[in-house]
């Protein structure tokens, strides 16, 4: 059997090149359509794009997932093509893995392990995960990065720039520069597994009193900037829980709620990637939280803004809402834009505004919030002038939508209002600032 070797890695890079060409072609055609009235066969071209993206996985996938939550950042056909991206790139073969491991841990790297799976057990966005056991008998997950991912990310970001420029040429509703800057920073951070190891340890500390939330333990002596080794946490995908009793589904939902929002409301920190692969559920309904490659640290007053907006909506207090949006980083909002933004805010906050046991609404057409987002987008376009999305909004929004879809899948029946009020009842901006500063320093993330 032929290994997926350095040569084929070259193939990967070439594929990135091909994608860029396709994107550039796409830009040209869309421009043609707009300015010259030339109709293009969009669905054909979408197929072309899908083919070019074909075996690709990695950072571009994440970008695709995020883009699909920004309505009309791409024509529907392209959004679909992005969503179809599968993580089916050929894994690194054993010979290659051995060379990579030697490079990370030294020539006698195998001595550290009782056993080490020759095949990858899971794909990672910048590499792959092998299961291993050390001499203490601990079962481990070794996330090994592909070489040259920095240039892959650079290539992705170039494509993203093209996608955004197509969008902005077409549509003036949303200004994307801040979104781009935010994605760029997070994607580059994800390269550094030492940073991720620190974030993992920090989460372990933040959630130390939560008996039902589990974070892997990082094995320092077996980790580097390109290899992250942590204890293996066994669990099932959340989707296998949808057929359980409502009591069980509710417990899982509440554990997820705490896993996501304790870090936010006590430290101003959120796990920015509530993707289905990034957590599993244990037989006792506890949550295993994985993947600390995309952690967003907010200014403490931003968290105050999140709560202020909730209070403003609760009391129908427009003045307070204006102030809250300013804290979020929205600038110069006309009354009409403010009202339009509030349609989105009401959608996101609705479950916590109602003091009753309820499920979270339906995910129409598979994407939670897409319909409301489209409506908001349409209105913004009609109003003209565009709106700049503050950087902080990107992952806050994504986390809220990601968790929303989890709760929909689970059909959890919960009084979200009580749960939320309980979470924020001791909220205090000053103590968040202090907590945050302390742990960022303690875990070398300052
Ligand atoms: N500690 C762990 N225990 C069990 N499975 C893990 C662990 N770490 C990673 N995995 C598996 O590997 C996959 C990829 O790891 P992840 O950290 O999410 O990589 P990425 O940051 O590239 O998404 C996860 O979706 C999960 O299936
Ligand atoms: Mg992941």
């Amino acid at each position: 059997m032929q290994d997926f070797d350095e040569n084929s890695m070259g193939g990967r890079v070439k594929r990135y090149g091909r994608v860029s060409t396709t994107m550039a072609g796409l830009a040209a055609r869309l421009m043609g359509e707009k300015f010259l009235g030339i109709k293009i066969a969009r669905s054909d071209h979408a197929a072309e794009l899908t083919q070019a993206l074909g075996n690709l996985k990695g950072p571009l996938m994440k970008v695709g997932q995020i883009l699909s939550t920004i309505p009309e950042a791409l024509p529907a056909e392209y959004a679909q093509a992005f969503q179809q991206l599968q993580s089916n790139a050929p894994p690194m073969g054993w010979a290659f893995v051995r060379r990579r491991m030697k490079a990370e841990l030294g020539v006698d790297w195998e001595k550290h392990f009782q056993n080490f799976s020759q095949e990858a057990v899971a794909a990672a966005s910048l590499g792959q995960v092998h299961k291993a056991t050390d001499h203490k008998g601990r079962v481990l997950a070794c996330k090994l990065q592909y070489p040259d991912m920095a240039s892959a990310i650079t290539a992705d970001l170039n494509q993203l720039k093209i996608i955004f420029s197509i969008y902005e040429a077409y549509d003036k509703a949303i200004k994307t520069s801040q979104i781009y800057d935010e994605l760029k920073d997070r994607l580059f951070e994800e390269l550094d597994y030492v940073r991720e190891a620190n974030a993992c340890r920090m989460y372990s500390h933040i959630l130390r009193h939560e008996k039902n939330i589990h974070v892997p333990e990082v094995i320092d002596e077996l980790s580097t900037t390109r290899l992250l080794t942590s204890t293996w946490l066994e669990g099932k995908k959340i989707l296998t829980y949808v057929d359980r009793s409502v009591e069980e589904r509710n417990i899982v939902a509440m554990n997820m709620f705490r896993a996501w929002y304790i870090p936010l409301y006590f430290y101003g920190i959120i796990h920015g990637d509530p993707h289905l692969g990034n957590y599993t559920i244990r037989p006792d309904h506890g949550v295993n939280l994985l993947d600390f490659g995309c952690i967003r640290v907010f200014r403490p007053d931003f968290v105050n803004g999140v709560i202020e907006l909730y209070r403003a909506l609760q009391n129908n207090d427009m003045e307070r809402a204006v102030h809250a949006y300013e804290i979020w980083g929205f600038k110069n909002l006309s009354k009409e834009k403010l009202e339009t933004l509030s349609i989105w805010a009401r959608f996101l906050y609705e479950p916590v505004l109602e003091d009753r046991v309820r499920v979270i609404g339906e995910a129409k057409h598979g994407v939670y919030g897409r319909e409301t987002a489209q409506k908001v987008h349409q209105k913004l376009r009609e109003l003209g002038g565009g709106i700049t999305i503050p950087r902080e909004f990107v992952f806050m929004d994504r986390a809220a939508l990601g968790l929303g879809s989890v709760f929909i899948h689970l059909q959890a029946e919960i009084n979200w209002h009580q749960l939320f009020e309980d979470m924020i009842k001791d909220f205090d901006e000053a103590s968040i600032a202090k907590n945050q500063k302390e742990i960022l320093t303690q875990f070398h993330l300052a």
Side-chain angles (χ1 to χ4, degrees):
M1 211 187 83
Q2 213 202 333
D3 273 345
F4 186 69
D5 217 321
E6 276 96 334
N7 296 333
S8 328
M9 286 306 297
R12 179 186 302 275
V13 173
K14 270 191 217 110
R15 258 199 310 273
Y16 275 99
R18 215 178 305 146
V19 175
S20 301
T21 318
T22 312
M23 286 296 185
L26 165 63
R29 289 196 218 183
L30 287 177
M31 297 302 176
E33 185 180 36
K34 180 177 182 194
F35 296 112
L36 308 169
I38 302 167
K39 277 269 166 256
I40 53 167
R42 279 194 180 173
S43 53
D44 284 359
H45 201 198
E48 213 174 279
L49 181 64
T50 316
Q51 213 181 8
L53 297 170
N55 291 325
L56 208 65
K57 61 173 179 179
L60 191 64
M61 253 176 83
K62 179 164 293 165
V63 167
Q65 286 158 2
I66 290 174
L67 280 183
S68 63
T69 66
I70 306 172
E72 292 165 56
L74 290 171
E77 293 89 338
Y78 300 102
Q80 251 167 23
F82 268 106
Q83 283 201 310
Q84 280 162 12
L85 288 176
Q86 296 288 318
S87 48
N88 56 359
M92 294 186 270
W94 180 231
F96 192 11
V97 168
R98 272 165 49 199
R99 276 199 294 284
R100 288 282 303 108
M101 287 301 289
K102 208 196 288 182
E104 298 306 325
L105 296 179
V107 278
D108 54 355
W109 70 272
E110 274 179 295
K111 288 211 183 101
H112 298 291
F113 302 99
Q114 242 183 76
N115 55 59
F116 188 96
S117 75
Q118 293 205 358
E119 288 187 12
V121 292
S125 53
L126 306 178
Q128 61 192 37
V129 174
H130 290 258
K131 200 170 180 176
T133 314
D134 70 2
H135 293 294
K136 292 181 186 157
R138 290 180 296 192
V139 181
L140 306 173
C142 300
K143 178 157 85 169
L144 180 61
Q145 196 174 108
Y146 300 128
D148 209 25
M149 278 295 110
S151 30
I153 289 181
T154 306
D156 280 353
L157 284 166
N158 287 335
Q159 284 151 30
L160 184 62
K161 247 204 178 119
I162 296 170
I163 293 171
F164 278 165
S165 64
I166 296 169
Y167 167 79
E168 288 205 13
Y170 250 78
D171 197 315
K172 306 272 183 271
I174 292 174
K175 296 188 179 134
T176 54
S177 66
Q178 298 262 314
I179 303 177
Y180 177 85
D181 289 346
E182 176 69 15
L183 291 173
K184 180 175 167 185
D185 285 359
R186 298 288 87 74
L187 284 174
F188 276 114
E189 274 176 10
E190 206 170 344
L191 276 172
D192 181 358
Y193 285 175
V194 168
R195 187 188 165 85
E196 179 168 346
N198 290 337
C200 182
R201 272 188 293 257
M202 177 178 77
Y203 255 74
S204 188
H205 177 77
I206 289 176
L207 296 166
R208 66 196 177 284
H209 300 307
E210 295 296 310
K211 297 281 170 286
N212 300 313
I213 305 172
H214 307 267
V215 173
E217 183 191 335
V218 176
I219 313 298
D220 268 325
E221 60 275 21
L222 300 178
S223 299
T224 67
T225 48
R226 303 281 179 258
L227 170 69
L228 178 55
T229 301
S230 60
T231 51
W232 182 271
L233 298 185
E234 190 62 45
K236 286 211 166 85
K237 289 256 150 76
I238 204 159
L239 293 178
T240 63
Y241 274 74
V242 298
D243 298 327
R244 300 298 185 90
S245 70
V246 67
E247 289 79 15
E248 289 175 287
R249 284 180 278 125
N250 287 351
I251 293 171
V252 172
M254 285 194 272
N255 288 337
M256 287 293 290
F257 187 90
R258 295 185 73 79
W260 252 264
Y261 290 124
I262 286 175
L264 180 67
Y265 291 110
F266 293 89
Y267 297 87
I269 294 171
I270 208 159
H271 184 306
D273 197 6
H275 171 272
L276 289 173
N278 289 342
Y279 47 83
T280 55
I281 311 300
R282 298 156 85 104
D284 67 356
H285 314 306
V287 169
N288 294 323
L289 200 53
L290 310 169
D291 193 350
F292 300 87
C294 183
I295 298 302
R296 183 46 154 115
V297 179
F298 296 112
R299 330 167 241 122
D301 79 316
F302 176 80
V303 185
N304 184 36
V306 173
I307 296 174
E308 272 301 295
L309 187 53
Y310 163 69
R311 297 276 178 228
L313 294 171
Q314 196 175 34
N315 300 306
N316 264 316
D317 183 340
M318 264 319 215
E319 228 166 278
R320 200 166 177 176
V322 173
H323 183 59
Y325 286 123
E326 276 166 4
I327 304 176
W328 277 65
F330 288 99
K331 291 196 185 90
N332 306 323
L333 291 176
S334 65
K335 186 163 172 287
E336 289 78 13
K337 279 188 188 157
L338 193 87
E339 275 162 5
T340 309
L341 262 190
S342 292
I343 298 175
W344 184 241
R346 279 210 171 273
F347 166 77
L348 283 182
Y349 282 90
E350 189 212 26
V352 294
L353 287 168
E354 277 192 350
D355 186 7
R356 66 177 175 97
V357 173
R358 53 166 287 174
V359 292
I360 290 185
E362 297 282 302
K364 301 236 174 68
H365 312 302
V367 183
Y368 177 53
R370 190 155 175 99
E371 241 181 343
T372 310
Q374 266 163 352
K375 188 164 120 193
V376 169
H377 190 268
Q378 178 62 33
K379 283 200 184 240
L380 286 174
R381 189 157 47 193
E382 283 160 21
L383 289 172
I387 193 163
T388 302
I389 305 290
R391 293 177 66 138
E392 283 83 356
F393 184 84
V394 177
F395 282 101
M396 187 63 219
D397 196 55
R398 178 161 156 75
L401 287 177
L403 274 194
S405 12
V406 169
F407 298 146
I408 289 175
H409 283 310
L410 287 173
Q411 284 292 296
E413 297 170 20
I414 287 175
N415 186 327
W416 305 98
H417 172 79
Q418 290 299 335
L419 201 62
F420 183 66
E421 284 283 350
D422 197 46
M423 178 77 71
I424 64 171
K425 67 176 189 296
D426 298 321
F427 173 77
D428 168 35
E429 196 181 312
S431 67
I432 287 200
K434 183 170 163 286
N435 293 345
Q436 186 183 86
K437 198 165 166 221
E438 272 171 19
I439 55 163
L440 291 181
T441 309
Q442 185 182 346
F443 292 96
H444 311 289
L445 289 161

